[in-house]
Amino acid sequence: MKKLINDADTVVGDALRGIEAAHSDRVRVDHEHHLIIRADAPVKGKVGLVSGGGSGHEPMHGGFVGRGMLDAACAGEVFTSPVPEQMQVATAAVDGGAGVLHIVKNYTGDVMNFEMAAEMAAEEADVRVESVVVDDDVAVTDSLYTAGRRGVGLTVLLEKIVGAGAEEGRDLDAIVELAKKVNGQGRSLGLALTSCTVPAAGKPTFDLGEDEFELGIGIHGEPGRERKKLAPASDMAQMLVEPILADLEFGGDVIAMMNGMGGTPLLELYLMYGEVTKILEKAGVKVARNLVGNYITSLEMAGCSLTLLKADDELLKLWDAPVNTPGLRWGC
Amino acid sequence: MKKLINDADTVVGDALRGIEAAHSDRVRVDHEHHLIIRADAPVKGKVGLVSGGGSGHEPMHGGFVGRGMLDAACAGEVFTSPVPEQMQVATAAVDGGAGVLHIVKNYTGDVMNFEMAAEMAAEEADVRVESVVVDDDVAVTDSLYTAGRRGVGLTVLLEKIVGAGAEEGRDLDAIVELAKKVNGQGRSLGLALTSCTVPAAGKPTFDLGEDEFELGIGIHGEPGRERKKLAPASDMAQMLVEPILADLEFGGDVIAMMNGMGGTPLLELYLMYGEVTKILEKAGVKVARNLVGNYITSLEMAGCSLTLLKADDELLKLWDAPVNTPGLRWGC
C-alpha cells in the first residue's frame, strides 16, 4: 500500500489538521468529533445544512462547507459512516433557530445514524431536524451497504443548490421541498478502471483484469452492473449516458457533472466530457452548466461518473448563486 | 494501459473538444493549432500572457486561461513541447498592442521553441515579445530534457500573480520584472509513489519498488535525487521542506502550494499539508495563502510536490486579485 499517511488509524484526524490549516478563513474544525463547520456558524435565522459520510470521497463533504453550501460536514472513518453523536454535535453547532436539514446519501449505516442523530437533536437540543436521502445511482437497486439505490454524484449538485436556497432565507419546509425536487430530477452512473485501497485494509478492495472495467461501480467499490472489456472513450461515454437517459425523461436544460473517482487525470475527464456532450446533443439534451473534475471520489480509484440534473430556471438561478467553499467557489 | 481515451494519437485533440464544451463561456479553442485562448482576447492595451508545454499536466496550462491569468495556452502532445508555430499563432491572437510575455518552464524543447516563436512573432507580426523561464525545482541541476533546474509548481503561482499584474495594466517591462521577481523568490520539490503511463508509450515511464518512493521526481518522470523507502507522512514532509528552506532564505510570509501529481487522493494531500505547516511553523515561516489540490500534474502519477513563494504585500495583493479560469477562480 503506497499512501502519504502516518498510520492507517490516524488518517482522518491527520487530514483534518491539514484542512484546518488550509481553510481556517472559511471553516473551523472540531477535532474531538471530526467535524468541519462553517466559520461563522450558526448563522442566525438560516436553515442549517449538515451532511457527512465516510471519508475518502474528498472534496465531498468537508470541502463543500462554507457560504452558500453546507454549514457542517461529519467525517467518518474511511468509507465508514460517522456516528450519531458526531451528527448531533454538528446539528447543534449550526442551528440558527430555523431548523436543520440532514443531507444523507443512501447507505444503510448513514441513514440509520442520521435518523438517530435527528432524534437526539430534537430531544436534547430542541432542534427541528428534517432529512433528505439522496439515491441517484441508476446502476443497481440494493447493493452492498444499501437498500434501494445508492447516493452518489447528485449529492454535490444538491448541496450546492439547496445551500443557495438556505442562504437566500428559505424556511425549512421550502428547503426540504427543494432538496426532494433536486433528488427527483437527477441521475448518475459511474465506472471504474482500477480499485482503490482502504488504508485500514491495506490491499485493493477488488480485482479487475488488465483489460477490464466495471460499469456501475459504487463509490466504495461495491459491485456494479457488469464487468466489460476496455473500449474507446466514445463507447464508454455511451454506456454511461444511455442508462441515465433511459431512467428519466431529460428534455431541455441539464446541469452535468463529469466526476473523477480520484485517480484519473483531468485530461481524460475532459476527453470523456467531450464524448458525453456529443451524445447528449444528439439526444436533444442541452448542458446549461457543468462541472468537470474530482468532486466525489473513491480514494485513488481510476474511473469516472456522470451526473445529469434536469434544471429549470429556479435551479439554474440557485446554481449560479455565490458559493465560497474550498471545493466549489464562484461569485465571491 | 487503462485510460479513458479513444486512441493514443488523438488524446490531446479529443480532450480539447471537452475543454471547449465545458468552458466556452471563458475560453475559445483553436483546434487546428491546439490552443486555448481567452474568450475576449486580444484585450486592448493589456500585455498578453502566453504559456504552454506538453499536455498531461492539467489543469496547467489550459485551465489557467481566463481573466486575471493567462491569455493563451499552447497544448503540446503529452509530455512534448508545443511547436513554434502554435506559440506564434497564440502570440498573435492575444496581442492587444502592449506586447506579449511568454511564460516558459525550463525544459530544453520548450525554451528553444518559445525562442523561435518569439522571433517569428516579432518579424512577421511586429509584436514585442519577452520571455521568462521558470526554474524552481531544487531537486537537481541538469536533468533529462533540461539544462539547469526544471520548471515545476512555481509556474502556477507565477501565472496567477503575473496575470493579475497584466490585468491591472502594468506595461511589458514591469510584467517582465514581476515575473523575474516571482521566479527568484519561489522553490519547489516533489516526490512520486508510482509512475505514470504516457498514452503513446503504453507502459509506465519507470518502475518503483512496492516499498519505495522517488524524492525529487520530475513532472515527466525524470529521475530525482534518490529512491528511498516509504516513510510516515511526517518524515516525507520533512524531506520536501528541508531542501527548499536550505536553498533560499524564507523568513516571513509565504504562499504555499501542496500539489497533487494526479493520482493521489485529496485526503492525503491535506494530510501532507498539515505535516508541512507544522514543520514550517517551527522554522518561523508563516503561510499567508495556500493551495491544496491537483494544479500541475503528471497524468495519473501518485505523489505530491511542495512549492513555497516568499510573498511581500505586492505579491499577496496580486494573489488576492480576482481570477476567473477553469482551474483557479475567486473574486468573480
Side-chain angles (χ1 to χ4, degrees), chain A residues 178-262:
Chain A
L178 177 63
K180 286 183 175 165
K181 173 178 170 179
V182 171
N183 189 53
Q185 295 187 182
R187 297 291 188 274
S188 299
L189 187 61
L191 62 84
L193 301 184
T194 65
S195 177
C196 54
T197 296
V198 175
K203 59 183 177 52
T205 306
F206 60 94
D207 291 308
L208 260 178
E210 255 313 299
D211 58 346
E212 286 182 326
F213 73 99
E214 177 128 355
L215 182 65
I217 193 78
I219 56 171
H220 314 96
E222 305 96 312
R225 288 187 169 197
E226 53 181 327
R227 291 191 171 193
K228 299 176 79 81
K229 295 287 173 198
L230 282 178
S234 55
D235 294 350
M236 291 166 90
Q238 188 80 37
M239 293 178 218
L240 289 180
V241 174
E242 261 182 12
I244 291 177
L245 295 189
D247 199 80
L248 188 70
E249 179 63 41
F250 274 98
D253 284 352
V254 300
I255 301 173
M257 177 171 74
M258 173 51 65
N259 171 65
M261 292 294 198

Side-chain angles (χ1 to χ4, degrees), chain A residues 2-7 10-23 58, chain B residues 189-193 213-217 228-244 256-261 263-281 287 290-294 302-308:
Chain A
K2 294 190 133 178
K3 290 188 183 287
L4 299 168
I5 61 176
N6 291 311
D7 186 301
T10 63
V11 168
V12 176
D14 289 353
L16 283 170
R17 270 195 295 280
I19 289 172
E20 182 177 45
H23 304 302
E58 291 69 24
Chain B
L189 187 62
L191 62 85
L193 301 184
F213 73 99
E214 176 128 357
L215 182 65
I217 194 77
K228 300 177 75 84
K229 294 288 173 198
L230 282 179
S234 55
D235 293 349
M236 290 166 89
Q238 188 80 39
M239 293 178 218
L240 289 181
V241 173
E242 261 181 12
I244 291 176
M257 177 171 74
M258 173 51 64
N259 170 65
M261 292 294 198
T264 283
L266 192 52
L267 188 73
E268 294 177 33
L269 297 179
Y270 275 121
L271 194 153
M272 282 294 286
Y273 182 69
E275 299 299 335
V276 162
T277 54
K278 274 196 263 182
I279 299 165
L280 291 177
E281 201 174 324
V287 180
N290 69 84
L291 290 178
V292 181
N294 292 323
C304 66
S305 65
L306 174 67
T307 297
L308 297 182

Side-chain angles (χ1 to χ4, degrees), chain B residues 145-309:
Chain B
Y145 317 131
T146 326
R149 287 179 166 187
R150 300 179 294 224
V152 288
L154 183 62
T155 317
V156 178
L157 309 190
L158 187 147
E159 289 175 356
K160 167 66 186 85
I161 288 169
V162 172
E167 205 71 44
E168 70 176 35
R170 299 191 186 190
D171 68 19
L172 185 54
D173 289 334
I175 287 296
V176 170
E177 193 186 340
L178 177 62
K180 286 184 175 164
K181 174 178 169 178
V182 171
N183 189 53
Q185 294 187 185
R187 299 289 189 274
S188 299
L189 187 62
L191 62 85
L193 301 184
T194 66
S195 178
C196 54
T197 296
V198 176
K203 59 182 177 52
T205 306
F206 58 94
D207 292 310
L208 260 177
E210 255 314 298
D211 59 346
E212 286 181 325
F213 73 99
E214 176 128 357
L215 182 65
I217 194 77
I219 56 172
H220 313 95
E222 306 96 313
R225 286 187 170 196
E226 54 180 326
R227 291 191 171 192
K228 300 177 75 84
K229 294 288 173 198
L230 282 179
S234 55
D235 293 349
M236 290 166 89
Q238 188 80 39
M239 293 178 218
L240 289 181
V241 173
E242 261 181 12
I244 291 176
L245 295 189
D247 200 79
L248 188 70
E249 179 64 40
F250 273 98
D253 284 351
V254 300
I255 300 173
M257 177 171 74
M258 173 51 64
N259 170 65
M261 292 294 198
T264 283
L266 192 52
L267 188 73
E268 294 177 33
L269 297 179
Y270 275 121
L271 194 153
M272 282 294 286
Y273 182 69
E275 299 299 335
V276 162
T277 54
K278 274 196 263 182
I279 299 165
L280 291 177
E281 201 174 324
K282 277 186 202 155
V285 178
K286 189 186 156 230
V287 180
R289 303 288 186 278
N290 69 84
L291 290 178
V292 181
N294 292 323
Y295 293 99
I296 164 174
T297 60
S298 302
L299 295 167
E300 71 282 3
M301 186 185 280
C304 66
S305 65
L306 174 67
T307 297
L308 297 182
L309 168 64

